[in-house]
């Protein structure tokens, strides 16, 4: 094509990026071993890595064996102690890694595009700069970790498993915070796309990374399973599909391994009728055709206001026809290849089975592994394609009439990763953003990411955040570990009972009312001296269901102001104080505590209520400084309904310590009282009844922790479960929670010091961080 031809047609010409350097790095035999302890192993059992755009072989990579994983974990363990010693020394290494990525940016970008099929325009302008930014940001975190996170220490060795859609970027998201905090890592890249991780490993020595701090093992899902099951790994960080995330949750249940999961999504892209339509359409192109839609947070579900839908779809089809598909190394193309024929066939199967109106962009489809940009309209909200992640360049669309309906449709999904909303009305945008159930919300923008802005999901999109202080905290634990707990049995019935006064059977407390247990059973509570203190109901699965229903109905509490919640917590404290002597006597009778000790526990409980009342209106979100013309608001939202098993070692202080922070942050609770010493809780609900706590905000059950744990942890309307019980419920709770991937916080049969409010830990567990991105400026 001559220059004058180009001027005539104004067509984009090919602008190929050279692959010479990347091919030179791959070398002549193109076989790779594993990176363990700072050195390469000899290539072992090999599998092939292919360029999906050209269907060409790129390299042969080793399938790690169990022995290799053992060696990598051992190397990471050996390196961890000295790596954790100095934050300042770690900062220098992370800084060097950031510089190394910048210096080799072109090589990384080209290799990434060859391996994954993503356009080099994206790997060069988005993936690699974000990788460098992540290492810079976390160099700073390493420098500040000791002073800013006192009392927290690294987990130790982290096993990290990443998918194929952002191979290097996901590596950076995992490795940078782990290293900043003083952990060492064993990372497995995806089978389809291991090459940039190997390049990164190759360059680690140049950045001064000590041997063993970063270990890269390649292979398929079986290698991932080995990492998950390895007994000497302290934390698993996984990004990938919800199905595999669920398996990992179940496999790690009860092991004490820490876990964060970044999983799939079906994120809504909402367009209101007052939106700037041209911008919204360009946003949509970025939302669903960026990386060929193989993006966890892709705006794959278009919700467009009914009165503009026809025009919007028409304009969208015109824009789709202009998308250029082609070789990822051509800088002029918009949409690259699908990572692997297996994935392309999975996309095709889902689309072909659809009963919707399918529109495929009228683009030339190159040879190789490509799939055309596709729009499917006319689907009902319950259609499988409106619910299931397609993970390809396929947009599904439906319409709404009112903002309330938009919110309802947007939240009608088991996922909760991201959401985009497009409107020129700032009031509407800021009204809708908090109502969307998702970890990230983009206003008039989409797919904005930065190391300072927490990213992660709710519901079946996983738990934990990457980026910001939240992401750093996810790679650390409290320095103090509690002592082993033994189950505390209830005081046995005495041979000769002392029964005085009128019989009293404390009921359950559900929806603001005292309720008889559904099963009609109760048990006697005895003092150590053989006195009958009363009876308590034994709750069952139906009582759990009723309590969760009541808590769900009390949604208004989560929308109240922190100021109001503080007033109510102060009021609870005031009413408890008025009955302090009675509570102290009860504690002393139940647990045999000395009078002074029991009085101390009541005083500490009043103080704890004051503590959380103080925090109710002070756990501010933060405006995160992102390097673009936008503000990213990290907002602390309540989790929702939190199921709790109260501790047995401080029947009142422990109870108050778990209920109060949850309430302060706007959650509702279903709290199971201490099993051996339940009467402090049944007395406490009388205090709640007189303290203006709205019905359903706190529900108190009594009964067997081991019997109730599976039902509470398995309930789909419970957002999180905490257990501080002396019965070890950890495995049961984490296993049951795998079903809907709810958050858990369990004690693994270790006690904690209830005289310490553990403020930051409770705040973290009582909140979900939602990052709301608001770009600003004209033009
Ligand atoms: P998978 O869950 O299949 O794989 C992710 C990683 O886990 C790969 O390295 C994979 O190995 C490994 N793996 C597979 N099976 C197991 C197992 N049983 N135990 C341990 N590890 C295992 O996801 P994909 O690679 O197919 O990636 C696409 C999915 O990832 C999408 O659902 C997407 O939404 C999600 N994703 C989420 C992101 C987020 O931040 N929330 C970001 C990016 C993707 P191998 O590939 O070698 O089989």
């Amino acid at each position: 094509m001559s220059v004058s031809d180009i001027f005539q047609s104004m067509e984009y010409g090919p602008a190929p990026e050279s692959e010479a350097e990347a091919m030179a790095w791959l070398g002549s035999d193109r076989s790779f071993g594993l990176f363990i302890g700072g050195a390469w192993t000899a290539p072992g059992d090999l599998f092939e890595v292919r360029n999906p755009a050209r269907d060409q072989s790129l390299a042969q990579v080793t399938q790690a064996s169990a022995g290799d994983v053992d060696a990598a974990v051992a190397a990471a363990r050996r390196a961890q102690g000295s790596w954790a010693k100095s934050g300042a020394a770690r900062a220098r290494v992370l800084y060097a890694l950031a510089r190394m990525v910048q210096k080799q940016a072109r090589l990384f970008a080209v290799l990434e595009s060859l391996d994954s099929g993503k356009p080099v325009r994206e790997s060069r302008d988005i993936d690699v700069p974000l990788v460098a930014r992540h290492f810079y940001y976390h160099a700073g975190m390493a420098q500040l970790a000791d002073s800013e996170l006192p009392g927290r220490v690294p987990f130790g060795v982290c096993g990290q498993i990443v998918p194929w859609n952002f191979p290097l970027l996901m590596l950076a998201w995992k490795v940078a915070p782990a290293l900043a905090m003083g952990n060492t890592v064993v990372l497995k890249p995806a089978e389809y796309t291991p090459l940039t991780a190997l390049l990164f490993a190759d360059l680690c020595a140049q950045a001064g990374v000590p041997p063993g701090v970063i270990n890269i093992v390649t292979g398929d899902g079986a290698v991932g399973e080995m990492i998950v099951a390895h007994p000497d790994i302290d934390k698993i960080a996984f990004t990938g599909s919800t199905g595999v995330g669920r398996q990992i949750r179940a496999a790690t249940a009860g092991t004490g391994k820490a876990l964060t999961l970044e999983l799939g999504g079906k994120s809504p892209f909402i367009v209101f009728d007052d939106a700037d339509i041209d911008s919204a359409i360009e946003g949509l192109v970025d939302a669903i055709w960026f990386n060929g839609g193989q993006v966890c947070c892709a705006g794959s579900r278009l919700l467009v206001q009914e009165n503009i839908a026809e025009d919007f779809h028409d304009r969208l089809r015109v824009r789709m026809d202009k998308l250029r598909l082609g070789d990822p190394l051509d800088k002029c193309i918009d949409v690259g290849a699908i990572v692997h024929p297996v994935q392309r066939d999975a996309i095709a199967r889902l689309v072909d089975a659809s009963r919707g109106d399918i529109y495929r962009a009228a683009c030339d489809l190159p040879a190789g592994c490509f799939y055309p940009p596709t729009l499917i309209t006319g689907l009902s909200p319950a259609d499988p394609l409106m619910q299931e992640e397609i993970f390809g360049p396929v947009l599904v669309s439906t319409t709404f009439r009112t903002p309330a309906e938009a919110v309802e449709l947007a939240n009608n999904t088991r996922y909760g990763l991201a959401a985009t909303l497009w409107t020129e009305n700032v009031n509407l945008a800021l009204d809708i953003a908090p109502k969307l159930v998702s970890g990230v919300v983009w206003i008039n923008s989409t797919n904005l990411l930065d190391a300072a802005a927490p990213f992660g999901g709710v519901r079946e999109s996983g738990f934990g955040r990457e980026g910001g202080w939240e992401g750093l905290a996810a790679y650390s634990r409290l320095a103090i570990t509690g002592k082993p707990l033994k189950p505390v049995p209830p005081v046995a019935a005495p041979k000769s009972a002392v029964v005085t006064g009128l019989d009293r059977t404390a009921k359950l407390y559900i929806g603001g009312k005292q309720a008889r247990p559904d099963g009609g059973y109760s048990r006697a509570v005895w003092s150590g001296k053989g006195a009958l203190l009363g009876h308590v109901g034994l709750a069952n699965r139906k009582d759990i269901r009723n309590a969760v229903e009541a808590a769900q109905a009390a949604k208004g509490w989560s929308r109240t102001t922190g100021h109001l919640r503080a007033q109510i917590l102060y009021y609870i404290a005031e009413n408890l104080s008025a009955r302090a002597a009675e509570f102290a006597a009860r504690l002393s009778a139940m647990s045999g505590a000395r009078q002074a000790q029991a009085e101390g526990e009541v005083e500490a409980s009043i103080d704890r209520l004051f503590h959380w009342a103080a925090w109710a209106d002070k756990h501010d979100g933060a405006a995160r400084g992102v390097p673009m013309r936008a503000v990213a608001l990290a907002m602390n939202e309540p989790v929702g309904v939190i199921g709790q098993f109260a501790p047995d070692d401080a029947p009142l202080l422990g109870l108050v310590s778990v209920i109060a922070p949850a309430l302060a942050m706007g959650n509702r609770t279903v709290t199971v009282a201490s099993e051996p010493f339940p009467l402090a809780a049944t007395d406490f609900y009388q205090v709640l009844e007189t303290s203006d706590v709205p019905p359903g905000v706190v529900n108190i059950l009594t009964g067997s922790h081991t019997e109730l744990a599976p039902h509470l942890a398995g309930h789909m309307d419970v957002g999180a479960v905490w257990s501080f019980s002396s019965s070890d419920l950890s495995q049961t709770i984490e296993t049951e929670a795998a079903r809907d991937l709810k958050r858990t916080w369990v004690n693994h049969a270790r006690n904690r010091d209830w005289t310490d409010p553990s403020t930051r830990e409770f705040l973290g567990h009582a909140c979900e961080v939602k990052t709301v991105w608001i770009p600003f400026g004209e033009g």
Side-chain angles (χ1 to χ4, degrees), residues 100-427:
M100 180 266 279
V101 169
Q102 281 185 318
K103 281 184 270 190
Q104 300 293 345
R106 200 48 77 105
L107 175 57
F108 273 115
V110 172
L111 190 63
E112 193 76 307
S113 287
L114 284 170
D115 197 9
S116 67
K118 67 172 66 197
V120 72
R121 202 172 48 82
E122 292 177 7
S123 52
R124 182 197 62 192
D125 297 347
I126 298 171
D127 295 45
V128 175
L130 279 174
V131 170
R133 160 81 180 139
H134 225 75
F135 282 104
Y136 272 121
Y137 181 83
H138 283 94
M141 285 302 205
Q143 189 78 27
L144 300 177
D146 293 345
S147 60
E148 299 307 305
L149 298 180
R152 294 196 74 86
V153 293
F155 284 113
V157 175
C158 299
Q160 308 185 314
I161 301 166
V162 296
W164 41 257
N165 55 351
F166 292 92
L168 186 65
L169 184 57
M170 290 301 109
L171 175 147
W173 282 24
K174 296 273 177 284
V175 169
L179 261 52
M181 200 59 223
N183 301 279
T184 54
V185 305
V186 175
L187 178 133
K188 186 194 96 65
E191 184 185 357
Y192 297 159
T193 56
L195 297 182
T196 45
L198 297 176
L199 172 60
F200 183 83
D202 205 24
L203 298 172
C204 270
Q206 290 179 24
V209 178
V213 168
I214 297 175
N215 303 276
I216 308 282
V217 289
T218 48
D220 61 10
V223 180
E225 280 183 62
M226 291 173 203
I227 291 175
V228 168
H230 202 287
D232 201 29
I233 286 185
D234 304 297
K235 167 172 179 152
I236 299 292
F238 171 78
T239 296
S241 58
T242 293
V244 174
R246 207 187 306 282
Q247 286 174 30
I248 293 177
R249 169 69 293 181
T252 53
T255 61
K257 280 192 183 106
L259 178 65
T260 41
L261 298 173
E262 298 287 358
L263 308 176
K266 187 79 182 177
S267 300
F269 187 104
I270 310 168
V271 184
F272 289 96
D273 61 3
D274 65 350
D276 172 345
I277 301 296
D278 290 331
S279 302
I281 286 185
E282 285 314 304
L284 194 49
V285 167
D286 282 341
I288 184 64
W289 293 301
F290 169 54
N291 200 16
Q294 303 164 106
V295 180
C296 52
C297 51
S300 54
R301 215 162 31 108
L302 172 63
L303 310 178
V304 56
Q305 200 151 11
E306 195 177 83
N307 51 329
I308 59 161
E310 199 179 331
D311 175 51
F312 191 87
H313 286 142
D314 286 346
R315 291 210 230 172
L316 181 59
R317 289 186 195 100
V318 171
R319 179 67 182 91
M320 285 168 69
D321 291 347
K322 291 199 160 50
L323 290 170
R324 294 177 303 269
L325 269 70
D327 190 293
L329 287 196
D330 180 349
K331 283 170 274 191
C332 287
I333 66 114
D334 297 311
V335 183
I338 301 297
V339 70
H340 195 276
V342 168
Q343 178 67 10
R344 184 198 47 201
D345 296 347
I347 298 167
R349 257 196 315 279
L350 283 167
V351 174
D352 294 346
S354 171
R355 292 182 303 267
D357 300 324
I358 301 173
Y359 182 79
R360 292 187 176 87
C363 318
D364 295 332
L365 210 56
C369 188
F370 288 86
Y371 194 86
T374 302
L375 167 69
I376 307 183
T377 51
L379 297 175
S380 75
D383 191 281
L385 284 196
M386 291 297 284
Q387 296 292 332
E388 295 308 320
E389 190 175 36
I390 301 174
F391 223 60
V394 182
L395 178 68
V396 295
S397 175
T398 193
T399 60
F400 67 88
R401 288 186 179 165
T402 62
E405 196 191 352
V407 170
E408 202 173 311
L409 285 170
N411 292 341
N412 179 14
T413 165
R414 62 195 171 103
Y415 297 112
L417 189 54
T420 297
L421 62 100
W422 224 281
T423 170
E424 289 297 290
N425 179 348
V426 66
N427 295 325

Side-chain angles (χ1 to χ4, degrees), residues 419-444:
T420 297
L421 62 100
W422 224 281
T423 170
E424 289 297 290
N425 179 348
V426 66
N427 295 325
L428 180 65
L430 296 178
D431 180 48
I432 300 292
K435 294 178 179 164
L436 297 171
V437 183
S438 69
V440 182
V441 176
W442 291 294
I443 295 175
N444 292 338

Side-chain angles (χ1 to χ4, degrees), residues 465-624:
R465 293 290 178 269
E466 295 187 300
W469 289 103
E470 295 79 1
L472 195 67
Y475 279 98
S476 66
R477 61 168 178 80
L478 277 185
I480 302 164
T481 50
K483 297 200 179 72
L485 265 179
K486 286 208 186 77
V488 179
V491 176
K495 287 208 176 77
S496 55
V498 184
V499 180
T500 51
L502 204 59
D503 170 75
R504 186 182 164 234
T505 302
K507 299 191 180 66
L508 313 176
Y509 184 63
I510 297 176
K513 294 199 185 86
Q514 300 191 22
R516 285 199 178 76
D518 169 83
Y521 288 101
S522 59
R523 80 162 176 88
V525 181
W526 301 96
S527 81
K529 293 182 180 143
L532 179 64
L533 299 176
H535 286 81
V536 284
L538 295 178
N540 66 14
R541 161 177 78 79
K542 289 191 188 158
D543 298 307
I544 294 259
R545 187 195 61 195
N546 295 341
V548 174
E549 237 169 64
Q552 275 296 343
K555 280 196 172 68
W557 180 255
S558 299
R559 294 193 289 267
T560 55
T561 62
H563 173 70
L564 182 86
R565 296 196 294 265
Q567 303 309 300
I568 290 181
L569 283 160
Y570 283 127
Y571 197 15
I572 299 172
E574 187 187 322
N575 286 328
L576 179 60
S577 168
R579 293 174 59 178
E582 183 195 328
F583 269 84
R586 176 69 101 186
L587 286 175
S588 179
M590 257 194 322
S591 64
R594 280 178 292 110
Q595 181 68 14
Q597 195 187 342
E599 282 167 5
E601 185 172 338
V602 178
E603 268 314 302
S605 304
I606 295 166
D607 196 44
R608 190 61 42 87
L609 286 160
F610 261 68
H611 181 85
W612 288 111
W615 269 106
D617 54 1
K618 294 177 193 65
H619 187 37
D620 308 324
R624 295 287 157 83

Side-chain angles (χ1 to χ4, degrees), residues 625-669:
V626 289
M628 59 191 91
R629 289 205 306 170
V631 57
L633 297 177
M635 294 174 29
N636 297 314
E637 294 192 340
V639 174
V641 175
I642 300 182
Q644 306 180 318
F645 290 89
D648 301 321
D649 38 358
L652 181 65
L653 177 59
L655 180 87
V656 168
S657 297
V658 299
I659 292 178
L663 251 56
M665 294 301 113
N667 300 284
R668 296 91 73 192
T669 78

